[in-house]
Amino acid sequence: MQVLKTKAAFRAARAGFGDLGFAPTMGFLHEGHLSLMRRAKTENGAAAASIFVNPTQFAPGADFDRYPRALERDLAMLEGAGIDLVFTPDAAEMYPDGFDASIHIGGVSEGLEGAARPSHFDGVATVVSKLFNIVQPTRAYFGQKDAQQAAVINKLVRDLDIPVQIVIADTVREADGLAMSSRNSYLDPAHRQAASVLYRAITAAKALFEAGERDAAILRAAALRILASEPLAQTDYVSIADPHTLRELDAVGPQGALISLAVQIGPARLIDNLLVG
Ligand code: AMP
């Protein structure tokens, strides 16, 4: 496994490979990340990962400084997953003096996380575009855990004709249903126990849908009721949205729905989602 810190070194190493799977990450890796790595490796001749805590996707005062980092451990995990190339730039390598570009994807970036975190998806779309240009992957792997990010990336490659095939992989969960996330490391034992309420809330809405309920307000209320039962949880939003446009629905039609939520559990703002229909 080669670990490259500069764009020039990465490009030179990449030239030695043909078709390449790629999974960008912010590090502090867990089984969710590794599921992307394993797919990237099995579905392509070679696989690359990046580890870069991207400052431009954090709002001022958000958790950029305390975001967990463990580079040596991450590299050992990537080596174990059979990754061939790892790109580990620093901020100056990605955003040298005079850097002045931003990519805005309209529509799907506007509600949900985009409303709660203004400019977050501009930061994501810009850094992912740069990573695609540097890494030149054949296929790129993202998690369903970040459903709106997946929608933004799909729109990015479609609207800008970027020749990369996007693959969205299932969310990997802990035994109690909590979606794995680097931010789960912020949780003390009491908050960690409370955090299972996210999955219980979305599965309650899903169960109602599967029993035939199509009124989005009733599905939303079912999730909110579960969230309200957990005193350590502060709900940001529960959304029942069109899975393609991410616009809020009044009623779930044949297109199905993305049930998603964002909840503050003590020091961690956590998100989760399920697709239904
Ligand atoms: P992050 O390091 O949080 O930016 O995540 C890097 C990639 O891993 C993104 O495409 C995420 O959607 C994906 N990912 C994060 N958590 C999970 C999970 N629990 N299951 C599957 N993919 C995940």
Side-chain angles (χ1 to χ4, degrees), residues 145-177:
K145 153 86 178 10
D146 299 283
Q148 190 175 14
Q149 171 172 278
V152 167
I153 301 299
N154 272 315
K155 197 91 192 353
L156 169 78
V157 300
R158 196 172 329 131
D159 287 1
L160 298 183
D161 304 304
I162 300 176
V164 177
Q165 190 183 320
I166 303 300
V167 181
I168 307 303
D170 290 345
T171 301
V172 177
R173 300 178 178 282
E174 303 284 358
D176 65 352

Side-chain angles (χ1 to χ4, degrees), residues 107-109 111-112 147-148 151-152 239 241-248 258:
V108 294
S109 75
L112 308 174
Q148 190 175 14
V152 167
S239 160
D242 179 289
H244 301 293
T245 65
L246 303 190
R247 282 202 210 98
E248 281 311 299
L258 178 74

Side-chain angles (χ1 to χ4, degrees), residues 13-32:
R14 197 266 176 262
F17 293 92
D19 68 319
L20 185 70
F22 172 50
T25 82
M26 299 205 298
F28 210 71
L29 302 181
H30 50 66
E31 270 302 313

Side-chain angles (χ1 to χ4, degrees), residues 79-265:
E79 178 116 57
I83 295 299
D84 300 283
L85 298 173
V86 188
F87 184 44
T88 59
D90 63 16
E93 181 70 7
M94 292 299 276
Y95 304 114
D97 278 351
F99 180 88
D100 202 12
S102 178
I103 295 183
H104 177 72
I105 302 299
V108 294
S109 75
E110 276 151 25
L112 308 174
E113 291 302 287
R117 307 170 69 186
S119 85
H120 168 67
F121 287 118
D122 293 359
V124 170
T126 306
V127 78
V128 169
S129 301
K130 287 175 64 73
L131 290 169
F132 283 176
N133 285 329
I134 297 159
V135 174
Q136 305 264 314
T138 314
R139 296 182 188 82
Y141 295 80
F142 294 85
Q144 174 63 26
K145 153 86 178 10
D146 299 283
Q148 190 175 14
Q149 171 172 278
V152 167
I153 301 299
N154 272 315
K155 197 91 192 353
L156 169 78
V157 300
R158 196 172 329 131
D159 287 1
L160 298 183
D161 304 304
I162 300 176
V164 177
Q165 190 183 320
I166 303 300
V167 181
I168 307 303
D170 290 345
T171 301
V172 177
R173 300 178 178 282
E174 303 284 358
D176 65 352
L178 177 65
M180 289 191 184
S181 165
S182 308
R183 289 189 169 95
N184 292 349
S185 66
Y186 299 153
L187 301 169
D188 68 19
H191 286 118
R192 169 62 190 82
Q193 205 175 352
S196 70
V197 76
L198 278 85
Y199 185 64
R200 286 186 280 121
I202 43 176
T203 48
K206 181 183 181 191
L208 258 192
F209 173 86
E210 285 175 348
E213 184 57 63
R214 294 293 181 269
D215 184 325
I218 293 175
L219 299 174
R220 232 176 261 121
L224 285 166
R225 213 162 32 243
I226 304 284
L227 293 169
S229 72
E230 173 48 68
L232 294 177
Q234 275 181 292
T235 304
D236 184 350
Y237 63 77
V238 173
S239 160
I240 311 291
D242 179 289
H244 301 293
T245 65
L246 303 190
R247 282 202 210 98
E248 281 311 299
L249 295 171
D250 294 325
V252 183
Q255 80 277 32
L258 178 74
I259 303 172
S260 68
L261 41 69
V263 181
Q264 189 79 34
I265 307 273

